[in-house]
Every structure is written in C-alpha cells, then in structure tokens.
Amino acid sequence: MGKIQFPDDFYWGTATASYQIEGAYNEDGRGPSIWDTFSNTPGKVLNGDTGDVACDSYHRIDEDIELLKGLGVNMYRFSIAWPRVYPHGSGEPNPRGLDYYEELIDKLLANGIEPFVTLYHWDLPQALQDVRGWENRATIDAFIAYSETVFRRLNGKVKRWLTLNEPWCISILSNFIGAHAPGKQNMQAALDVAHHILVAHGLTVKRFRELGIEGEIGFAPNTEWREPYSTRPEDVRAAALRNGSFNEWFLSPVLKGSYPQLLLDYYASKGYELKIMPGDMEIIAEPIDFLGINYYTGSLLRHSPGNDFYDSEEISAYFNKTGFDWNIYADGFYNVLTWIQRTYCDIPIYITENGACYEADIVDGKINDAERISFLRDHFMALHRAIESGVPIKGCMVWSLMDNFEWAYGYSKPFGLVHVNFNTLERIPKASYYWYNEIIRNSALDV
Ligand code: JJW
C-alpha cells in the first residue's frame, strides 16, 4: 500500500455536454441542431434513441448541483448549446437561450464549484448545416458571433473556456467515417471541416482577447496513443500516421502553426487538397492559455496496405476492454501527456475527459461498478506519473457526471458516476461516485 498525493490546488471535476444531458429540445426558443436531425434519422443511432429528453438536466439544475456537491468536485465542465442562443445559427440571438446557463453558473459559484464552459460540443444549428455547415467558411463568422454573445453575457462568472471539443470527432468521425452527425463519408469534406473549425477556434481566441474577457481560453482535442506493433519501418510509419492524424493534426497547428508534414504528404498522395487561405495558420496559432486533453484509449497498429484508413490496422493484442470495446491503456495516457510536453511546450493542461463505459446492475438499490473504479485508478496513477515527470497538469474532469446520450450508441453505453433511469429520470450514485469522493477529499489515491 502506498499513498499517491496530488497537488493541493488540483481541480477535480466531472464533464458533460449539452445535447447529451439537457433534453428540452424545443423549449424556450431552442432551434434544431444537426444531432436532432441525425438522431431522428432511422438507422443512425442505436435503438432510435434521441436527445429529446436525455437526462432532463434543463429542468433539474438543483438536483444536478446536489450530485456535484455530494461528489465534492471544485470544477464542473459542461457545454452551451449554440441552437439555444442562435436558434437559426445566425441573425438575432434568442435572449432566453442563455438563462439556463446563467442560472446553472450562478448556482455552481454559490456552491464553490467553478464552471468550465465548452462553446462547441457538436450541436451545430441545423440551419447552418443546410448551407454546408463547417464545410462552408461562412460558418466561422456565425461561430464568432455566437461566441461573442456568450462571452459578453457570462463575462466575469466563467474563468475557463474551451472553444472546441474533440476536433477529430467533429471532422473525421462525422464527415469521413460518418458515424456522427452530419454523417457524411467524404475525406475531402472532413479535411475542409477540420481546417475551418481550427480557424474558427483561432478567431474566437482573438476575439476573446480583443473583448478583454476575464479568464483563460483553450481547446480540447481527443488524443489516443498508438504504438507500432513491431519495429519494422512500415509498422512504425503506420503508428506515426495514425498518431499524426489523430493527435498532431490538431495540436501542431494550434501550438506550432503548421500541419504535420507526414500527414500533409499522405493526404497529398491520396489527391486531397487543403484549402488554406493566406493568414489562416497564424490565426490558428493564436496563443492559448491552456490545453484541454481528452484521453480514453490507444492501441497497437501495423501496416495494412490498401486499408483506406491510413494503410493501417489495429491488432487487438493483450488489452482488456471497456464496455465500449475500447482498449484499456493507462500507460498510453502517460505517454500522450509526456509526449505533448516534449514535442510542444510547458503549456498548462486540464484533463477535460477521461472515464469509461461499463454496464452494471442495480442490486438492492446499489450499483457496484468496480470496473470503472479500476479504470479510473489506473488512469489517475498514470496522470500522477505525468505530474511527477514535470507535465503541468492542473486538473482532471471525469467523463461523465451521469449516464447520458452517448451519441451513435444512444442510452446503451453508460459512462456515468451516477446512474440515470431513462424512464423515471431518477439518479442513483454508483460505487465509483463514492470512491471518487474519497479521492477528492484527500486529493490522494491509495494504491
Ligand atoms: C470514435 C466509431 C471506426 C465522447 C468512434 C466512435 C467507428 C474506425 C466519447 N467524448 O461522449 C470515437 N467519445 O461527448 C466526448 N469520444 O468510432 C463526449 N469519441 O470507428 C463523450 C465514437 C468515438 C468517441 C466517443
């Protein structure tokens, strides 16, 4: 037995996102988002689930805050729904659109919990998708206008902001793989989207500074750690391509002002073109205050000629898996964090998401999710190793506070520290909730 001590001023929190928890899809002037359209399209989401009601968090601020208080967190990450603020994406803002968030923020602050706000967690107004969404540079202007409205309304109350959540998901997963809204399957479209969201990020950071908004701003790329299956050069290259497309494609423009050359060459060899306008790379590299890092998984990869996903394939190897069929790879977390510091700089890092999906039965009113506890323990230990190695990590947000709408998997993939009954909307804290509370109280982990 040994005690692993985290810094006293460490932020411990949980994370959620608007479409996954709010419900109230047509209330107080909210317009439709691409996720309303996608989830209402047969075959796109498992069991035909939608976010119409979700966890009904829109009507349950007090109940959710009680859960956060009981957990003991000092930070809560959530996102703002763009279609509540601009029901048609642009034009006149809907004044009621921000009331819910302001009430939530006021109540968080009254309870000593810092709000950590994401501006874009995937719910693009459908009206903007109708005119090509993020493939269209005009969507960038609409995003800046939306962000400015939010900044002005919430200035002084929110100290930490994120522009984008998981740019790989917004671009590649949603426009090339097609598993998420808007469900396109076109790599050129995905690369256009990737570039435009990065420009939108940079311009938002610029606007944030010009407006003199208080606090700090960053973005939250999802990272994975790919290890080559062998030292054969083609396996090494396969892993480099996948790490490059997933991690570096978004980190390098923001932190270094350039796309990774290996991937530029790869995409060019496949006939794709990057629509970079003069000045774009400088805009994207507008300095940020901190980095949000989401980490869940990684894998061993080897060369697979003809595979249209970077000529590579995953080897299932010896990893144990979560209920999402994702490899459990805590050392990959440590590797990503130390790699970021080595490759880029000493920028402060918040873990903006880490956690796992596991189903667990309710027995006598209790839910013993021992596997989630084990997953979190391993990842907190990897996190602590990274801190000891000098990576400036300031806090960790567990995904997620409660079971919620897990995108293409609907309500079938629970990630919560709190169970939600989606018929009654009753919330029941799981064993992991009480375990996490103990860690937060001591800012320490017994191993
Ligand atoms: C990849 C499916 C084929 C969320 C993926 C599916 C098909 C190669 C969890 N993070 O709910 C990634 N999440 O909203 C943000 N992140 O591929 C927050 N990424 O691949 C959580 C899903 C995801 C995915 C899910």
Side-chain angles (χ1 to χ4, degrees):
M1 284 285 277
K3 210 175 227 0
I4 290 197
Q5 188 69 45
F6 285 82
D8 282 340
D9 57 354
F10 202 68
Y11 282 103
W12 292 105
T14 60
T16 61
S18 47
Y19 190 74
Q20 295 179 274
I21 66 163
E22 286 177 5
Y25 76 103
N26 60 358
E27 286 183 44
D28 295 331
R30 181 188 179 277
S33 79
I34 56 175
W35 270 96
D36 295 284
T37 308
F38 193 76
S39 62
N40 282 288
T41 306
K44 298 296 187 188
V45 174
L46 206 62
N47 303 319
D49 291 342
T50 74
D52 287 3
V53 178
C55 306
D56 194 36
S57 287
Y58 192 77
H59 299 118
R60 290 167 193 253
I61 287 181
D62 294 331
E63 200 176 337
D64 288 351
I65 291 203
E66 282 307 310
L67 287 171
L68 290 165
K69 263 173 70 180
L71 186 54
V73 295
N74 52 5
M75 190 173 253
Y76 176 53
R77 177 177 175 231
F78 60 93
S79 80
I80 291 181
W82 184 352
R84 290 198 190 279
V85 184
Y86 284 89
H88 309 291
S90 55
E92 286 303 308
N94 167 30
R96 287 175 300 169
L98 283 164
D99 291 349
Y100 162 68
Y101 302 105
E102 190 158 38
E103 184 186 342
L104 172 64
I105 288 164
D106 287 341
K107 288 181 170 169
L108 286 169
L109 291 172
N111 285 288
I113 302 168
E114 287 197 30
F116 193 170
V117 174
T118 311
L119 289 164
Y120 188 74
H121 201 125
W122 310 353
D123 38 7
L124 182 74
Q126 180 59 42
L128 295 175
Q129 190 62 45
D130 292 343
V131 285
R132 295 173 44 246
W134 287 113
E135 286 181 73
N136 183 347
R137 276 189 82 105
T139 296
I140 298 171
D141 304 328
F143 184 69
I144 311 304
Y146 153 66
S147 299
E148 182 166 339
T149 298
V150 176
F151 288 151
R152 287 184 189 279
R153 172 80 182 259
L154 302 177
N155 189 20
K157 296 187 175 184
V158 175
K159 295 291 153 59
R160 283 174 193 80
W161 299 88
L162 290 158
T163 54
L164 310 172
N165 181 69
E166 301 192 341
W168 180 87
C169 290
I170 302 168
S171 52
I172 306 286
L173 184 63
S174 304
N175 291 278
F176 172 59
I177 297 172
H180 281 187
K184 290 189 76 156
Q185 292 184 309
N186 180 323
M187 183 58 101
Q188 183 62 57
L191 292 176
D192 294 347
V193 166
H195 185 64
H196 293 158
I197 57 175
L198 286 172
V199 174
H201 156 82
L203 285 171
T204 304
V205 175
K206 230 173 143 196
R207 200 77 201 102
F208 180 85
R209 309 277 185 228
E210 287 163 1
L211 292 167
I213 304 298
E214 276 177 50
E216 302 181 346
I217 191 163
F219 84 135
N222 41 333
T223 58
E224 291 185 1
W225 186 260
R226 313 297 198 161
E227 196 66 37
Y229 185 72
S230 79
T231 59
R232 291 163 69 228
E234 51 275 45
D235 288 349
V236 171
R237 178 182 152 83
L241 277 169
R242 285 283 277 274
N243 282 327
S245 69
F246 209 91
N247 305 334
E248 290 162 74
W249 193 257
F250 303 97
L251 285 165
S252 292
V254 171
L255 298 177
K256 293 207 302 206
S258 57
Y259 284 109
Q261 193 60 46
L262 181 70
L263 269 295
L264 284 172
D265 295 344
Y266 174 83
Y267 287 131
S269 77
K270 302 281 175 183
Y272 303 119
E273 89 184 281
L274 286 186
K275 302 186 181 113
I276 303 173
M277 309 266 279
D280 279 0
M281 298 316 291
E282 290 72 23
I283 288 168
I284 296 171
E286 182 74 26
I288 54 176
D289 299 303
F290 66 87
L291 208 51
I293 290 295
N294 295 1
Y295 178 86
Y296 289 96
T297 188
S299 62
L300 296 188
L301 276 183
R302 73 177 167 204
H303 182 58
S304 169
N307 188 317
D308 71 353
F309 210 64
Y310 307 97
D311 300 323
S312 64
E313 69 178 352
E314 280 187 24
I315 303 299
S316 66
Y318 40 70
F319 292 104
N320 291 317
K321 291 175 186 282
T322 70
F324 214 72
D325 212 28
W326 282 350
N327 294 332
I328 302 171
Y329 193 5
D331 285 344
F333 194 18
Y334 170 82
N335 292 342
V336 161
L337 292 166
T338 50
W339 168 82
I340 287 172
Q341 188 189 35
R342 230 171 26 248
T343 308
Y344 300 106
C345 52
D346 273 330
I347 186 163
I349 291 176
Y350 289 83
I351 306 309
T352 35
E353 285 180 30
N354 175 248
C357 158
Y358 287 106
E359 286 179 74
D361 296 330
I362 307 176
V363 181
D364 296 334
K366 292 194 166 50
I367 302 167
N368 183 14
D369 56 339
E371 294 156 305
R372 178 170 292 99
I373 292 174
S374 157
F375 180 100
L376 289 173
R377 182 199 306 278
D378 290 352
H379 286 76
F380 288 172
M381 191 153 173
L383 187 59
H384 187 265
R385 289 177 63 215
I387 294 171
E388 291 293 298
S389 304
V391 183
I393 300 161
K394 304 297 179 194
C396 180
M397 311 297 119
V398 170
W399 185 274
S400 179
L401 171 63
M402 56 191 151
D403 297 344
N404 58 47
F405 178 79
E406 182 45 50
W407 308 113
Y409 295 93
Y411 298 101
S412 72
K413 297 289 178 192
F415 274 81
L417 299 170
V418 175
H419 166 83
V420 177
N421 177 322
F422 289 101
N423 296 314
T424 63
L425 299 169
E426 185 195 1
R427 284 108 157 103
I428 304 174
K430 304 178 189 175
S432 58
Y433 173 97
Y434 299 106
W435 175 85
Y436 190 33
N437 170 253
E438 187 73 21
I439 290 189
I440 295 171
R441 274 191 281 147
N442 304 311
S443 216
L445 179 68
D446 286 317
V447 291

